[in-house]
Amino acid sequence: MNVNHIIEQLTQQLADKNPNLSVNKARTWIELLWSDFESTYAKAGYDYRGAEYTEKIVKQWIASYGDKIHEFAGRNPKYAHLLDGQDDNVQ
């Protein structure tokens, strides 16, 4: 399975878990979580474990925090500007 397909599946999972997010915002969150995890993991000196491992971690985050992840953006300026605005309606 390619990464784009995995991202699409994770996006739908997050959008289903959090009715406050549009599909576009959910995708932005998934892309941010994915890239942040992989870059942080690499900076820590760990060997790359593949897309399947990253998928597993992001799924855990969706399960644990997905329903309230939209609240995080307001408290973290690193993400707020990426998730602010009215690009579309909530699904």
Side-chain angles (χ1 to χ4, degrees):
M1 190 177 315
N2 72 36
V3 172
N4 285 330
H5 185 69
I6 295 169
I7 296 285
E8 288 174 21
Q9 288 182 329
L10 293 170
T11 296
Q12 194 56 55
Q13 287 176 19
L14 180 56
D16 291 346
K17 176 106 179 171
N18 190 328
N20 295 295
L21 296 177
S22 66
V23 172
N24 285 343
K25 295 279 189 199
R27 181 161 183 117
T28 299
W29 269 114
I30 295 301
E31 290 172 350
L32 288 170
L33 293 170
W34 187 283
S35 64
D36 272 5
F37 173 74
E38 287 195 337
S39 65
T40 301
Y41 204 73
K43 286 178 189 174
Y46 295 109
D47 290 334
Y48 182 66
R49 295 180 63 179
E52 296 80 17
Y53 186 72
T54 303
E55 177 186 13
K56 177 182 171 186
I57 298 299
V58 173
K59 279 184 177 182
Q60 289 174 355
W61 290 340
I62 292 169
S64 297
Y65 311 111
D67 59 336
K68 45 193 171 298
I69 200 164
H70 63 285
E71 297 170 5
F72 177 76
R75 296 189 305 264
N76 190 324
K78 177 180 177 182
Y79 299 112
H81 74 282
L82 297 170
L83 296 159
D84 196 20
Q86 288 110 26
D87 63 332
D88 56 6
N89 296 324
V90 173
Q91 61 177 7

